[in-house]
Amino acid sequence: MNTANSGNRAQPLWQGPALPPGADLAQAPGAQFRSIKAYEPERDGYHWLKGVALARHEDRWVASFGHNPGARGENNATEVAHVRISADEGATWGPVHTLDAPAGDLGVSHGVFLTHDDRLWAFQGAFYGTGRPGGRVHTRAYVAEPESVRRGWSKWEPRGVVAWDGFWPLQEPLRLADGRFIVAGASVGGGESGNTIPAVGLVDGDDPTQWTVVRIPAPMPIWGESTVVVAGNDVLLISRSNSSLLAPLTATSTDGGRTWTPLTEGNLPMAASKPYAGTLADGRPYLINTIAADAATAGRNPLCLLIGARGAMSFDRAYRIIDARQPLPGAEGYTLWAYPYAVERQGLLWIGFYMGTEGRHGSGAAGLVTLPVDRL
């Protein structure tokens, strides 16, 4: 139980005017769409895809995702972690190849990247039999062999299990003021009665294989996929809640994630989907998910971006990133956008996400939108 920090009061997440329906949000200016992986089970046999992660390494873009051949193949032992590499700023992507696909009942799925001492690390969610409570969910570490990304076919050295406690990593590791990293995620089955609650991994700043998992207890049944905004050792955690609440849950820490305030309901309408947050190079925080007045009925459409003032841990401006009703060129035919991941580089925010179609579970596509930061 790590719910000290009671003196750190929660503040409203949203500080702007009332949010309109998603279709009425302003389109993020300069948005450009690229496909990372199309949905093509007739060619490759894979029906399900989720959890895009992005990294820039050896002058290449690297994308990873969880992939499964089952028509409803989510969270079972046929799941694999796949990778694609782009040498032309995401315009085209090389062959799909495997980060890890162990045998037996061990499944390895989507995860996150970290560049540390010029090496590219991958931390993947993994499980035995099922990625649901009871599946001994954990995090496995891998390091890309030097120059393998540049060659377009990355090879990965396994570094073993770095976190148990049901921990599934969901956000790029962020540096804290004390030199450690914090990784937002979820503890699958880690709450009361097998509830999946938000959690963070605290990682040694010198040795990325040394992790401590801190769970944030939840007051209700949720699927606690979480993300964080970091300012020094102050941390704001934002968690997915459930399909009944349809609002984020938040907690704060003033000691780099060691202890947390109790979770409270945020003042935003947000779909039951994984959020992703961060801080732009100019100090403004951002949050990505389906966040609009009609989130309860619109599902995972559109994918939205909130921006806050420099140095704040709240948001006051909102945009549409990608929308089925007003699709960006190349993204026609999809109606769901979810599980985002973002990296800022050279004035652009690169946002990877899962693309799906209503009524077709998983749907198996990965997309990318770039946004010019100076136009937000």
Side-chain angles (χ1 to χ4, degrees):
M1 183 78 65
N2 290 277
T3 54
N5 255 331
S6 58
N8 188 8
R9 290 187 175 183
Q11 66 172 6
L13 279 181
W14 180 247
Q15 303 278 9
L19 283 168
D24 295 335
L25 287 170
Q27 172 66 50
Q32 292 190 358
F33 172 80
R34 300 170 174 87
S35 174
I36 296 175
K37 173 68 179 72
Y39 177 70
E40 44 193 356
E42 69 288 345
R43 188 184 70 82
D44 61 17
Y46 284 88
H47 289 267
W48 179 92
L49 178 152
K50 200 168 283 184
V52 176
L54 297 170
R56 180 75 177 182
H57 188 68
E58 295 176 351
D59 296 324
R60 303 287 188 269
W61 279 102
V62 186
S64 69
F65 41 86
H67 226 181
N68 204 309
R72 290 194 61 84
E74 180 178 9
N75 297 323
N76 61 48
T78 60
E79 210 145 300
V80 298
H82 276 165
V83 173
R84 297 193 88 173
I85 296 171
S86 174
D88 56 8
E89 301 303 313
T92 62
W93 294 81
V96 174
H97 61 278
T98 301
L99 192 156
D100 195 10
D105 66 345
L106 175 60
V108 176
S109 189
H110 56 87
V112 302
F113 288 121
L114 169 68
T115 299
H116 185 269
D117 290 340
D118 297 324
R119 303 291 302 274
L120 181 62
W121 290 72
F123 304 106
Q124 306 300 123
F127 47 82
Y128 290 93
T130 177
R132 297 284 171 171
R136 291 188 289 156
V137 173
H138 58 283
T139 300
R140 290 175 173 258
Y142 306 83
V143 180
E145 292 184 2
E147 298 297 319
S148 67
V149 170
R150 192 184 305 278
R151 294 192 297 268
W153 192 275
S154 56
K155 294 184 178 180
W156 298 87
E157 306 166 5
R159 294 296 177 91
V161 176
V162 293
W164 286 100
D165 298 317
F167 189 73
W168 195 312
L170 296 169
Q171 183 179 7
E172 178 184 21
L174 300 176
R175 183 77 77 167
L176 296 161
D178 61 14
R180 296 171 303 141
F181 294 98
I182 186 168
V183 184
S187 178
V188 178
E192 296 181 7
S193 303
N195 194 19
T196 291
I197 57 176
V200 298
L202 302 178
V203 184
D204 187 295
D206 297 317
D207 183 356
T209 66
Q210 299 302 309
W211 290 46
T212 300
V213 174
V214 179
R215 293 166 168 161
I216 294 86
M220 64 186 75
I222 63 172
W223 190 256
E225 295 166 325
S226 72
T227 186
V228 293
V229 177
V230 174
N233 279 333
D234 291 338
V235 187
L236 167 68
L237 179 140
I238 304 169
S239 173
R240 170 180 174 174
S241 56
N242 57 40
S243 57
S244 298
L245 181 58
L246 287 171
L249 296 174
T250 69
T252 56
S253 172
T254 58
D255 57 8
R258 292 183 176 90
T259 61
W260 294 86
T261 61
L263 282 165
T264 58
E265 183 179 341
N267 65 330
L268 281 171
M270 189 173 84
S273 186
K274 171 199 143 181
Y276 197 93
T279 305
L280 299 173
D282 61 13
R284 291 181 293 163
Y286 66 86
L287 175 65
I288 304 170
N289 204 347
T290 298
I291 307 167
D294 57 346
T297 56
R300 295 173 171 179
N301 179 47
L303 191 65
C304 306
L305 170 70
L306 304 189
I307 298 283
R310 181 176 180 179
M313 285 198 172
S314 59
F315 311 95
D316 58 15
R317 187 170 297 182
Y319 298 96
R320 281 183 291 116
I321 299 171
I322 192 163
D323 187 350
R325 293 159 291 199
Q326 303 169 52
L328 295 174
E332 299 89 352
Y334 292 98
T335 60
L336 305 175
W337 324 94
Y339 281 70
Y341 192 102
V343 176
E344 184 181 3
R345 179 175 170 81
Q346 295 181 338
L348 293 176
L349 189 62
W350 297 67
I351 304 170
F353 45 84
Y354 142 80
M355 305 189 299
T357 303
E358 204 73 52
R360 195 170 67 193
H361 180 76
S363 299
L368 168 70
V369 167
T370 57
L371 302 177
V373 172
D374 62 1
R375 296 183 64 184
L376 297 172

